[in-house]
Amino acid sequence: MSDSAHAELAAAVATVRAAAARPMWRRIAGRLFDAALIAYVVVACIVLVARHWVLPEVDQHRARIEQALGDALQRQVRIDSLSADWSGLHPQLSLRGLTLLDEAGQPALRLEQVEAALGFSSLVRGELHLHRLDINGPDLWIRREADGRFFVAGLEIRQDGERGGFMRWLLSQGQINIRGARLEWDDALRETAPPLQLTQVDFRLDNSGRDHRFGLSARPPSELAQRLDIRGDVTLPDREDWRSASGELFVSLEGADMAVWQTWVDYPLELSQGRGAARAWTRFDGARLAEVTGELALADVRLRLAPDLPLLDLVSLSGRVSAEQLSQERVVASARQLQLATRDGLRVPPTSVDLRWQAAAGNEVERGEVSASALDLDALTRLSAYLPLPDPVRDRLQRHAAQGVVHELDGGWTGPLSAPTAFRVSARLDRVGLRADGALPGVSGLSGRIEGSDVRGSVQIDAPELVLDLPAVFPQPEIPFSQFKARAGWARSDGETEVVIESLAFRNDDVQGQARGRYRTAGNTAGEIDIEARLLDGDARAVWRYLPLDIGPDTRDWLRTALTAGRAPE
């Protein structure tokens, strides 16, 4: 063997050894690259053949495409003309004069222009599947029959697998777009409701498995609203059973006559008048509404919040209101930045409120919770007759004629509100007033802070314009103060209550003073009291005013005429 032959053999052996010495991952990566390259070439050839030979001749296969569409829609389909191209990722079909026939073979729905992008999953599913479907300028007529069945242009919308199961196919597609449509809604379940006509309708539906998102924008008749928007995010585990659906819905109306819309939509309250903008969010689970939230900016409003309440007449109403429950047994509601003005001049500044109340039922006792950023007691008292409040709350507000503002309120109670077995409260008071009622004294101009519960708590008062009203104690019941400061607390243990006055300082035209002390209940006795007080600069002419009703009027009259001058320094 020649030297050149030996050299070539040695080089070949070295190449084989080098290849064998390469890592396994490099050999696998090389084979995958080769396979991907071959697949790319094959797909490219298929695309080129489809783009340049198959798609340009697609109109010749119109009958087969009509059959495929008809099988998918479970309706007979006719197409006037058909063209196709493949200029993007998905093959595109352009259909002109697409007509769906009804059960009798008569035209039921005609779409002049339809664009469809075919999905590659059609090859796997063995049936027509669209990546996107665009429908331009259709005239749609939707009707609900008295028996609850729905029809679109005479075609029944059904969820079963029988003929006419259009919705099942629709929810299986990728994306549906409808642009520039005219829509008429006719509801036979509302015998007095005329058909609702919408123009400039744009609709989009995105489907992904059991999740479906949609949006609709339309222009209603000008006397109803300027614009209507509806959006939804729905989960439908079983397409054969709409009761399995859950999700969220959003509705927005601009420049709307809200009262007129009750012709087609049920409201959770009676609204006989009101115009402006409104938005509503709802969470639902099957046929049950889990939560309803409304955002309003309305003028000239007349509404009734519950069937047994009077009609509320408002000049304006704005803010956000949410409700989960609203009944005589349970109230769960909240308001954010709610403000209103009534026809008789009452104005409520922006405030936020949360209310939870549960009536007693079975083994469950009555309980409630309330919180508010700022609660105008005078406005609440005047509005209480119109609000869905528990009867004890409404009665107490009206009986005591509450006034002033409660800031940063956070409270709760267990048992009847008139005699709760447990309570908690935290609030800042600003010139709060309550009318005297029986043995309960009245007060006005009360400012300070209170925090506590039925177990223990504290009170701080700083009220330079305080007026006490004690009709059960003094013949001249109102006692005004130019200064009133106090720090006190209470605690309850072993069935007894102890009240501690850490400091008390007061002044009015008749006297000024300081005091501190404590009082503790003791069973059925009057209890124990220990008070240390100082009275300064007392006016003798006013002594008669502070004699209680237990002292006869003769003594009081004598002191009033007898003491004509004098002061007591201490």
Side-chain angles (χ1 to χ4, degrees):
M1 180 178 293
S2 64
D3 292 338
S4 60
H6 279 290
E8 292 176 359
L9 180 60
V13 172
T15 301
V16 172
R17 288 176 177 175
R22 283 189 301 175
M24 177 66 73
W25 68 269
R26 288 188 177 181
R27 284 181 281 168
I28 294 175
R31 291 173 183 173
L32 290 175
F33 176 78
D34 293 340
L37 182 60
I38 294 172
Y40 174 79
V41 172
V42 172
V43 171
C45 292
I46 294 174
V47 170
L48 289 173
V49 170
R51 176 178 295 177
H52 297 287
W53 280 277
V54 177
L55 294 181
E57 305 296 330
V58 70
D59 196 50
Q60 299 180 7
H61 305 281
R62 190 192 313 169
R64 296 175 60 185
I65 293 176
E66 288 176 344
Q67 182 63 41
L69 278 174
D71 291 342
L73 299 176
Q74 298 181 351
R75 290 288 177 186
Q76 292 184 7
V77 174
R78 296 290 181 264
I79 302 172
D80 292 349
S81 65
L82 183 65
S83 61
D85 62 29
W86 198 338
S87 57
L89 180 61
H90 295 270
Q92 306 286 325
L93 288 178
S94 181
L95 297 83
R96 297 295 182 268
L98 175 63
T99 303
L100 275 66
L101 306 183
D102 59 18
E103 299 284 354
Q106 299 300 316
L109 176 62
R110 180 176 176 83
L111 305 175
E112 295 297 337
Q113 182 180 356
V114 178
E115 307 291 337
L118 302 179
F120 294 116
S121 59
S122 300
L123 301 175
V124 178
R125 301 184 183 205
E127 61 180 16
L128 180 64
H129 177 259
L130 302 179
H131 172 71
R132 190 184 73 252
L133 177 65
D134 298 331
I135 303 174
N136 298 312
D139 289 332
L140 300 176
W141 172 65
I142 303 177
R143 176 176 173 81
R144 179 170 64 173
E145 295 290 352
D147 58 6
R149 293 181 300 155
F150 285 86
F151 291 82
V152 175
L155 303 178
E156 184 177 359
I157 304 299
R158 298 169 62 177
Q159 295 84 50
D160 54 30
E162 301 176 8
R163 188 169 183 80
F166 171 71
M167 287 299 296
R168 192 163 60 92
W169 176 86
L170 187 69
L171 296 177
S172 300
Q173 308 313 301
Q175 183 184 105
I176 309 295
N177 294 293
I178 300 176
R179 303 184 182 93
R182 289 184 295 274
L183 174 63
E184 181 176 300
W185 163 250
D186 190 8
D187 192 352
L189 286 178
R190 297 176 179 270
E191 297 180 355
T192 61
L196 175 61
Q197 296 181 347
L198 304 176
T199 59
Q200 300 180 24
V201 178
D202 293 330
F203 175 80
R204 173 170 172 168
L205 171 64
D206 291 289
N207 301 308
S208 178
R210 65 177 192 172
D211 297 322
H212 311 278
R213 304 183 67 179
F214 68 88
L216 181 145
S217 177
R219 181 179 294 278
S222 58
E223 63 272 15
L224 297 183
Q226 296 174 359
R227 199 72 191 169
L228 168 65
D229 288 290
I230 303 175
R231 302 170 196 168
D233 191 346
V234 180
T235 298
L236 185 61
D238 184 1
R239 292 175 185 166
E240 308 294 339
D241 185 5
W242 286 93
R243 293 172 298 181
S244 66
S246 62
E248 298 179 354
L249 295 177
F250 167 77
V251 180
S252 174
L253 282 168
E254 300 292 338
D257 187 335
M258 301 302 300
V260 176
W261 279 94
Q262 292 180 109
T263 306
W264 300 278
V265 181
D266 290 327
Y267 290 174
L269 49 81
E270 179 186 336
L271 181 66
S272 58
Q273 183 177 312
R275 191 171 188 91
R279 297 178 178 179
W281 294 261
T282 64
R283 285 193 302 108
F284 67 94
D285 186 0
R288 184 180 68 88
L289 284 179
E291 182 179 1
V292 178
T293 300
E295 193 173 88
L296 308 170
L298 303 177
D300 297 325
V301 180
R302 302 187 69 190
L303 57 83
R304 195 189 311 271
L305 296 177
D308 57 341
L309 296 178
L311 203 63
L312 180 59
D313 193 358
L314 302 175
V315 175
S316 63
L317 172 65
S318 63
R320 174 177 287 203
V321 180
S322 300
E324 296 181 29
Q325 297 283 338
L326 205 62
S327 67
Q328 291 294 324
E329 294 76 30
R330 180 175 170 83
V331 175
V332 180
S334 65
R336 296 290 179 268
Q337 294 300 303
L338 180 66
Q339 56 183 325
L340 59 86
T342 64
R343 193 72 61 184
D344 57 3
L346 174 63
R347 292 186 178 275
V348 176
T351 187
S352 297
V353 179
D354 290 275
L355 175 64
R356 290 177 176 269
W357 175 77
Q358 176 68 57
N363 296 327
E364 294 291 330
V365 298
E366 179 182 341
R367 65 182 67 247
E369 295 180 357
V370 61
S371 63
S373 59
L375 198 60
D376 188 325
L377 296 180
D378 178 55
L380 182 60
T381 300
R382 294 171 62 181
L383 291 172
S384 61
Y386 305 94
L387 301 178
L389 298 174
D391 290 337
V393 174
R394 183 183 296 108
D395 292 342
R396 278 179 171 260
L397 285 171
Q398 294 179 352
R399 190 168 64 248
H400 295 299
Q403 296 180 339
V405 181
V406 178
H407 299 274
E408 304 163 17
L409 172 64
D410 184 15
W413 69 94
T414 301
L417 186 59
S418 57
T421 57
F423 70 89
R424 61 176 178 81
V425 64
S426 174
R428 180 167 61 87
L429 311 180
D430 183 11
R431 296 186 296 277
V432 168
L434 296 173
R435 179 192 297 160
D437 182 34
L440 186 68
V443 65
S444 65
L446 178 62
S447 298
R449 186 165 192 89
I450 179 172
E451 290 192 29
S453 67
D454 55 292
V455 178
R456 61 174 47 86
S458 63
V459 177
Q460 298 181 30
I461 300 175
D462 186 359
E465 300 177 355
L466 181 71
V467 177
L468 293 179
D469 186 10
L470 305 169
V473 180
F474 300 119
Q476 290 195 351
E478 292 189 355
I479 303 176
F481 293 88
S482 58
Q483 176 192 354
F484 196 99
K485 291 185 178 182
R487 293 174 61 90
W490 72 88
R492 183 172 177 81
S493 62
D494 299 328
E496 304 296 341
T497 302
E498 183 178 36
V499 179
V500 178
I501 302 176
E502 299 178 13
S503 65
L504 171 63
F506 58 88
R507 177 196 297 270
N508 65 10
D509 294 339
D510 301 325
V511 70
Q512 60 177 305
Q514 300 173 354
R516 63 180 180 177
R518 67 180 61 237
Y519 168 77
R520 179 179 176 84
T521 62
N524 295 325
T525 69
E528 303 172 358
I529 187 169
D530 181 9
I531 294 181
E532 179 182 330
R534 294 178 63 198
L535 296 178
L536 306 173
D537 196 22
D539 188 346
R541 295 171 299 175
V543 170
W544 67 272
R545 294 193 184 98
Y546 299 95
L547 296 180
L549 291 171
D550 293 340
I551 296 179
D554 294 340
T555 303
R556 193 164 37 251
D557 292 341
W558 181 82
L559 288 173
R560 181 172 54 183
T561 58
L563 298 177
T564 59
R567 303 192 74 85
E570 183 174 357

